[in-house]
């Protein structure tokens, strides 16, 4: 910090000169306060004055959007000081970053006591009661201030406070996420779904947002608050959030660290602290409220918010931007503990059934078995099921008819009704469920998503409703893993928000594209970027007018000695004058509009260097990563469609009369149904096992490659057979437009070719089986295998 430059600035500020009663202002010393993890704060002492000042600035480095708004702090404390509310009076604000590197403001220095440990062990029991009662009384005073008279109402909206706060802190948490914390995922999911109805006493007011003992300066000897400090999180909100935040320590476990002392859960009476309800009553009495109010939701929300803040500080500490780095690095443990305590509190308040699953699961035990699926994921499953039941399936036939019957001029436009249903799903948070990565996903495991993906597979349109349809899902995962920040902002973000669609251009008509080393499309380096030439076909989604970019796979190298390092991937904006869609490719004589599969020609398509994804030569590696999860998703969806087909078969058996009896009572029908149900169960077990193994082992081992290929080869072939048998049972109706059976058959039959034909995957399984056989110790036992040649 340049003290000379800062002194010169302060010397020119009238409020500073008057406060210090000195015109020759020269800073003698700057001392950084060793508490606080957000905005760095310093004590300034001067050569010619006994008075001190406090300087508070924004942190250095890259900051999360919307964070560290010291301008708000300055405005709030300035106006509160005008109505005699206890604050450290601000004197000047400087937005010029050239003075000390960031904007800052200067306030009066208040001499007094700051209690960093809620246990207050240095005080008598009576003093502890007095200190906490004073804290509650002053909070009630803050909430009673007329924000309109002070002209502070612009600091926040008066409606939907909890919805907005949860959305804000969920976003901040996800941006700073470094580990998957299940209790946080539960809170992220549960809190917005269970916001309580507004209580008339939960008034709209100025909320401090971080009203804890360590943000209060008490008189040196009296239980009197001289100043409430650290107003960074202050906003217009609802009063119960503040009192719940102040009292959350009653529900927080002890936590020993230099950054945070934790709470007094279970031990507060032993420490001589007031009872929880007694402290609440001090606050409520100060506001003339005479009723008992359950604040457990508000407390859990407050703990969640503090967990999110702790995660953000931890992330900044990792990046070297935290005010107190060593303390900041300890805050991941606080985030975990707080969120665990918050989730435990929610369980207590809901009789250990926060998702209201007991009755649902009681009737659905066979579905879940002993698979390790969280209650959160099960609840999400039932929400998706109910959404499909109420919002989607009543309109499915309308969607199919519209897609099939539209004239050429509107054939490739989005289906309006489908778009309306998508907006409802997004509004309800049923969105991007496929993604297991931080920031953008729902925190589901691959296994958990398998059950939900199966549900979405019951209709060819349903995955798009939840922004979980191919090829966008694979493209989003690829961009999450390999794209740079600029590419993510331009291409990934609008995909995640469902504003655009995309395509993946890999398959070529003249070569066996299941072997990526055969790809002939060239990506040639130029002075300003790259030039692409080649022909692609069966490029899914390219016909949709919402398709705004393609990920193109082609060769940047002709070095045949390294065949798996010849390919690269590059982004091409669409439409592009040199990208020609020559025709829609049919699948069993249907163009599958408006999604479709296109033949495309790239004729000297020039793109900038910045459009290259990751590095040259990494295309094959990225393709393997992209296709692995995609293959599993295809199988999950196909199982869902086949489940629906068997449901139709059973309904047919119930309604159809043959030989004077219901078809379901005919022995051959029963045997056939039993066989098909068993085959489908085998498919489901293969997929669920693969998903669980990926969760445990990751997706890069030979064993995982083997079971993924087993899924991809086995499931489409078996489900195709099941659907074919059901078509036979339906007779002419089975191949008609009155049933979805022909659509289901096309889906299964096509998938035996897409993303690698059966033969390629069975070859992969065979090769890996030999590779993994060496781990079988029983092969070393005499008599287990074939006799050795010497014994023959």
């Amino acid at each position: 910090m340049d003290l000379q430059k800062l002194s010169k600035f302060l010397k020119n500020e009238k409020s500073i000169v008057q406060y210090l009663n000195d015109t020759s202002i020269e800073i003698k010393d700057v001392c950084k306060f060793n508490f606080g993890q957000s905005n760095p704060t310093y004590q300034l002492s001067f050569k010619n004055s006994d008075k001190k000042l406090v300087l508070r600035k924004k942190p250095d480095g890259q900051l999360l959007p919307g964070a560290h708004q010291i301008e708000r702090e300055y405005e709030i404390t300035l106006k509160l000081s005008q109505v005699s509310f206890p604050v450290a009076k601000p004197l000047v604000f400087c937005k010029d970053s050239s003075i000390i590197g960031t904007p800052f403001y200067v306030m009066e220095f208040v001499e007094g006591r700051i209690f960093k440990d809620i246990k207050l062990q240095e005080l008598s029991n009576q003093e502890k009661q007095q200190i906490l009662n004073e804290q509650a009384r002053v909070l009630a005073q803050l909430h009673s201030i007329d924000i309109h008279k002070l002209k502070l109402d612009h600091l926040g909206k008066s409606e939907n406070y909890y919805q907005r706060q949860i959305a804000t802190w969920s976003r901040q948490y996800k941006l700073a996420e470094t580990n998957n914390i299940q209790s946080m995922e539960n809170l992220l999911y549960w809190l917005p779904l269970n916001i309580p109805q507004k209580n008339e006493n939960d008034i709209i007011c100025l909320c401090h947002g971080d009203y804890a003992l360590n943000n209060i300066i008490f008189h040196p000897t009296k239980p009197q608050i001289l100043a409430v400090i650290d107003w960074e999180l202050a906003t217009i909100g609802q009063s119960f959030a503040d009192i719940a935040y102040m009292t959350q320590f009653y529900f927080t476990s002890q936590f020993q660290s230099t950054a945070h002392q934790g709470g007094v859960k279970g031990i507060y009476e032993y420490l001589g602290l007031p009872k929880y309800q007694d402290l609440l009553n001090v606050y409520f009495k100060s506001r003339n409220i005479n009723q008992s109010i359950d604040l457990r939701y508000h407390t859990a929300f407050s703990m969640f918010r503090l967990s999110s803040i702790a995660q953000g500080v931890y992330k900044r500490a990792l990046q070297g931007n935290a005010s107190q780095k060593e303390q900041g690095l300890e805050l991941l443990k606080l985030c975990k503990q707080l969120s665990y305590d918050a989730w435990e509190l929610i369980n207590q308040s809901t009789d250990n059934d926060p998702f209201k699953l007991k009755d649902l699961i009681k009737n659905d035990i066979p579905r879940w078995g002993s698979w390790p699926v969280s209650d959160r994921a099960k609840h999400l499953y039932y929400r998706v099921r109910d959404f499909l039941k109420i919002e989607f399936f009543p309109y499915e036939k309308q969607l199919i008819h519209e897609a099939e019957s539209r004239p050429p001029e509107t054939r490739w436009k989005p289906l309006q009704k489908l778009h309306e249903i998508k907006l409802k799903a997004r509004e309800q948070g049923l969105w991007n469920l496929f993604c297991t990565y931080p920031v953008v996903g729902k925190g589901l495991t691959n296994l958990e998503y398998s059950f939900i993906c199966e549900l979405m597979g019951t209709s060819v349109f349903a995955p798009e409703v939840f922004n979980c349809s191919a090829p966008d899902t694979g493209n989003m995962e690829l961009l999450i893993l390999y794209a740079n920040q600029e590419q993510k902002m331009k291409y990934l973000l609008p995909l995640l928000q469902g504003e655009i669609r995309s395509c993946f251009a890999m398959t070529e008509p003249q070569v066996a594209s299941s072997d990526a080393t055969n790809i002939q499309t060239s990506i040639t380096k130029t002075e300003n970027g790259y030039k692409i030439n080649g022909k692609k076909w069966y490029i899914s989604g390219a016909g949709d007018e919402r398709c705004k970019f393609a990920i193109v796979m082609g060769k940047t190298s002709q070095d045949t000695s390294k065949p798996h390092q010849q390919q690269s991937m590059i982004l091409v904006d669409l439409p592009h004058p040199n990208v020609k869609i020559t025709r829609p490719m049919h699948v069993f004589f249907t163009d599958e509009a408006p999604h479709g599969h296109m033949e495309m020609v790239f004729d000297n398509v020039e793109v900038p260097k910045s459009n290259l994804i990751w590095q040259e030569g990494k295309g094959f590696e990225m393709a393997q990563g992209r296709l692995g999860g995609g293959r599993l998703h295809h199988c999950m969806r196909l199982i869902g469609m086949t489940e629906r087909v068997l449901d139709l078969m059973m309904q047919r058996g119930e309604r159809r009369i043959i030989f004077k009896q219901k078809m379901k009572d005919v022995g051959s029908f029963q045997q056939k149904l039993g066989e098909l149900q068993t085959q489908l169960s085998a498919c489901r077990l293969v997929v669920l096992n693969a998903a669980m193994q990926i969760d445990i082992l990751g997706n890069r081992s030979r064993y995982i490659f083997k079971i993924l290929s087993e899924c991809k080869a086995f499931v489409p072939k078996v489900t195709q057979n099941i659907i074919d048998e059901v078509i036979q049972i339906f007779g002419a109706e089975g191949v008609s437009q009155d049933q979805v059976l022909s659509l289901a058959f096309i889906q299964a039959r096509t998938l035996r070719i897409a993303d690698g034909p059966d033969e390629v995957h069975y070859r992969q399984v065979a090769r890996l089986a030999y590779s993994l056989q060496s781990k079988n110790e029983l092969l070393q036992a005499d008599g287990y295998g074939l006799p050795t040649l010497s014994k023959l």
Side-chain angles (χ1 to χ4, degrees), residues 224-243:
Q224 175 188 353
I225 292 178
L226 300 180
V228 179
I229 58 175
D230 195 354
W231 292 82
E232 181 194 353
L233 298 177
T235 188
I236 302 305
Q238 291 179 222
S239 55
F240 286 178
D242 250 5
I243 184 60

Side-chain angles (χ1 to χ4, degrees), residues 161-174:
Y161 171 73
Y162 293 108
Q163 290 93 327
R164 289 185 287 104
Q165 282 284 300
I166 292 167
T168 295
W169 292 109
S170 297
R171 182 172 62 252
Q172 296 289 70
Y173 172 77
K174 281 295 183 179

Side-chain angles (χ1 to χ4, degrees), residues 9-147:
F9 170 80
L10 296 176
K11 188 183 297 185
N12 293 324
E13 294 297 325
K14 183 178 178 181
S15 59
I16 301 293
V17 172
Q18 289 177 343
Y19 176 75
L20 295 176
N21 195 23
D22 176 28
T23 57
S24 60
I25 294 175
E26 186 176 354
I27 297 173
K28 179 174 68 174
D29 189 32
V30 175
C31 178
K32 187 177 183 180
F33 289 103
N34 62 356
F35 56 85
Q37 286 294 336
S38 185
N39 296 320
T41 309
Y42 303 84
Q43 183 187 91
L44 307 180
S45 57
F46 299 86
K47 289 185 178 180
N48 301 318
S49 176
D50 292 333
K51 290 187 175 181
K52 299 172 183 176
L53 293 173
V54 175
L55 181 148
R56 190 160 164 86
K57 68 187 285 291
K58 291 191 177 189
D60 298 320
Q62 186 175 358
L63 306 177
L64 292 176
H68 309 285
Q69 297 184 56
I70 61 171
E71 303 88 343
R72 287 166 63 97
E73 292 186 51
Y74 177 79
E75 179 189 4
I76 290 168
T77 52
L78 181 64
K79 291 182 176 178
L80 287 176
S81 68
Q82 296 167 0
V83 293
S84 301
F85 184 84
V87 293
K89 183 179 178 180
L91 300 174
V92 63
F93 181 85
C94 177
K95 62 181 179 181
D96 184 356
S97 297
S98 69
I99 306 296
I100 61 170
T102 70
F104 66 93
Y105 74 96
V106 177
M107 67 189 108
E108 295 178 355
F109 174 75
V110 179
E111 190 79 49
R113 295 177 293 172
I114 296 179
F115 300 105
K116 299 179 184 178
D117 187 352
I118 190 63
K119 300 180 187 67
L120 299 171
Q121 292 175 327
E122 68 271 37
L123 303 180
S124 67
N125 288 355
Q126 182 182 2
E127 288 174 317
K128 292 175 183 178
Q129 304 263 345
Q130 292 172 337
I131 288 291
L132 290 175
N133 288 347
E134 170 73 353
Q135 184 187 10
R137 184 194 66 78
V138 170
L139 182 63
Q141 179 187 346
L142 173 66
H143 292 167
S144 301
I145 290 174
D146 189 329
I147 55 175

Side-chain angles (χ1 to χ4, degrees), residues 377-390:
K378 291 174 184 175
H379 187 257
L380 195 53
Y381 172 92
Y382 290 120
R383 285 181 63 208
V384 170
R385 183 197 66 181
D386 292 345
F387 186 92
L388 289 171
K389 177 182 175 182
I390 298 168

Side-chain angles (χ1 to χ4, degrees), residues 280-454:
L280 284 185
N281 288 340
V282 172
Y283 169 82
F284 288 135
K285 185 177 179 181
S286 298
R287 285 189 49 206
N288 298 316
I289 297 172
N290 297 307
Q291 66 179 91
S292 177
I293 299 172
D294 185 352
L295 294 181
R296 286 179 294 184
Y297 175 91
H298 309 81
T299 303
F301 158 73
S302 296
M303 296 162 77
F304 156 75
R305 193 168 65 98
L306 186 54
S307 298
S308 180
I309 293 169
Q311 179 66 48
V313 176
Y314 172 74
K315 180 70 173 289
R316 290 206 311 277
L318 287 179
Q319 296 170 338
N321 295 333
S323 178
Q324 304 289 335
K325 181 177 179 181
E326 295 305 317
Q327 293 180 11
L329 291 173
E330 296 185 28
L331 287 179
L332 178 62
K333 291 183 285 187
L334 177 64
C335 176
K336 292 179 178 179
Q337 186 61 58
L338 272 174
S339 60
Y340 176 86
D341 288 338
W343 188 240
E344 187 175 60
L345 178 61
I346 287 171
N347 273 281
Q348 291 171 3
S349 67
T350 58
D351 296 324
N352 291 312
D353 189 20
F355 297 113
K356 300 179 177 63
L357 288 173
K358 288 179 181 177
D359 292 336
L360 287 170
I361 292 177
K362 189 188 304 181
N363 301 319
D364 210 10
I365 291 175
R367 180 180 310 283
W368 305 113
S370 58
W371 295 103
V373 177
S374 67
D375 285 350
R376 173 170 50 85
K378 291 174 184 175
H379 187 257
L380 195 53
Y381 172 92
Y382 290 120
R383 285 181 63 208
V384 170
R385 183 197 66 181
D386 292 345
F387 186 92
L388 289 171
K389 177 182 175 182
I390 298 168
E391 303 289 353
F392 174 77
F393 275 114
Y395 305 100
E396 187 197 38
K397 284 190 176 179
Q398 173 187 332
L399 294 171
I400 293 173
H401 174 73
E402 184 182 352
E404 290 178 344
S405 60
R406 288 194 300 180
E409 58 270 19
T410 60
R411 191 148 187 77
W412 301 102
K413 291 185 177 297
L415 301 173
Q416 181 58 34
K417 187 63 185 179
L418 187 63
H419 178 69
E420 293 170 7
I421 299 171
K422 285 177 69 173
L423 293 179
K424 289 182 180 179
R426 186 171 67 180
E427 184 180 334
Q428 294 184 27
L430 302 176
W431 199 254
N432 293 335
L433 308 178
F434 70 95
C435 190
T436 59
Y437 300 103
V439 181
V440 296
K442 292 292 183 185
L444 299 176
T445 64
N446 286 283
L447 175 65
E448 290 170 340
Y449 179 62
S450 296
F451 288 93
I452 297 172
C453 190
E454 182 180 321

Side-chain angles (χ1 to χ4, degrees), residues 448-720:
E448 290 170 340
Y449 179 62
S450 296
F451 288 93
I452 297 172
C453 190
E454 182 180 321
L455 258 184
M456 292 188 285
T458 52
S459 171
V460 293
F461 292 108
E464 185 183 343
V465 167
F466 307 100
N467 212 37
C468 292
S469 56
D472 293 331
T473 49
N475 287 348
M476 285 187 269
E477 289 187 323
L478 188 147
L479 292 172
I480 289 168
L481 285 174
Y482 303 112
N484 60 40
Q485 192 60 33
E486 181 184 345
Q487 291 167 345
K488 287 178 180 178
M489 292 302 295
K490 182 176 179 181
Y491 300 102
L492 174 62
L493 189 59
L495 263 187
L496 288 169
Q497 294 171 342
E499 296 170 356
I500 63 171
R501 302 284 318 260
S502 63
C503 64
F504 184 70
M506 177 177 170
T507 307
E508 298 180 0
Q510 303 301 325
V511 296
S513 301
S514 56
D515 179 357
T517 62
N518 288 334
I519 297 296
Q520 295 300 303
T521 294
S522 65
I523 303 175
T524 307
K525 205 166 191 175
T526 65
E527 184 179 349
N528 298 317
Y530 293 91
K531 185 179 291 185
I532 306 166
N533 282 283
K535 186 177 184 179
K536 304 284 187 179
W537 74 344
Y538 281 97
I539 307 307
S540 301
D544 191 321
E545 69 173 23
R546 296 166 297 175
C547 182
K548 297 304 179 185
F549 73 91
I551 297 178
V552 180
M553 186 162 176
K555 284 187 176 178
T556 47
S557 169
Q558 301 300 321
D559 184 358
T560 56
S561 66
K562 297 178 180 178
H564 295 110
Q565 295 178 26
Q566 294 179 297
Q567 302 81 20
S568 299
M569 289 190 189
I570 200 159
L571 294 155
V572 177
D573 292 276
L574 297 176
H576 190 287
N578 289 12
V579 178
K580 306 296 182 185
I581 294 179
T582 52
R583 56 175 174 158
M585 300 305 303
H586 287 197
V587 179
F588 290 100
F589 287 94
T590 175
D591 60 11
E592 297 195 345
H595 184 61
H597 317 276
M598 296 295 157
E599 183 178 71
M600 308 172 72
V601 174
F602 295 80
D603 182 15
N604 289 321
V605 176
E606 295 189 15
V607 298
K609 294 178 182 177
S610 59
N611 281 29
L612 182 72
I613 303 176
W614 196 7
Q615 300 171 10
E616 289 187 14
K618 297 292 187 179
F620 186 84
E621 184 177 343
M622 288 188 282
Q624 291 301 106
R626 180 190 184 279
L627 293 172
R631 287 163 179 159
L632 201 58
H633 293 174
H634 279 312
C635 294
M636 297 169 185
R637 288 190 287 264
L638 195 49
I639 289 169
M641 177 59 80
T642 310
E643 177 78 36
R644 182 181 180 184
V645 166
L646 287 180
D647 284 338
L648 293 173
M649 175 182 173
M650 287 188 284
Q651 286 183 318
R652 179 83 165 185
E654 176 69 36
R655 298 175 185 178
R656 201 74 166 181
I657 303 297
I658 58 171
F659 306 119
K660 299 183 179 180
Q661 61 180 325
K662 289 184 176 181
M663 187 185 290
K664 72 170 189 174
D665 297 324
V666 176
S668 60
F669 178 90
Q670 293 173 350
Q671 179 170 343
K672 181 60 65 178
L673 177 60
E675 290 175 357
L676 300 184
Q677 286 283 1
T678 303
Q679 290 171 20
L680 183 60
S681 293
C683 290
R684 182 177 286 113
L685 289 173
V686 166
V687 169
L688 293 177
N689 175 66
M692 186 175 68
Q693 295 300 330
I694 292 174
D695 291 331
I696 296 170
L697 301 174
N699 61 359
R700 302 305 299 170
S701 70
R702 287 180 297 170
Y703 172 66
I704 295 299
F705 293 154
K706 177 175 178 286
I707 60 176
L708 281 174
S709 283
E710 288 171 348
C711 287
K712 178 58 182 66
F714 180 73
V715 172
K717 187 173 184 178
V718 173
T719 52
Q720 178 201 328

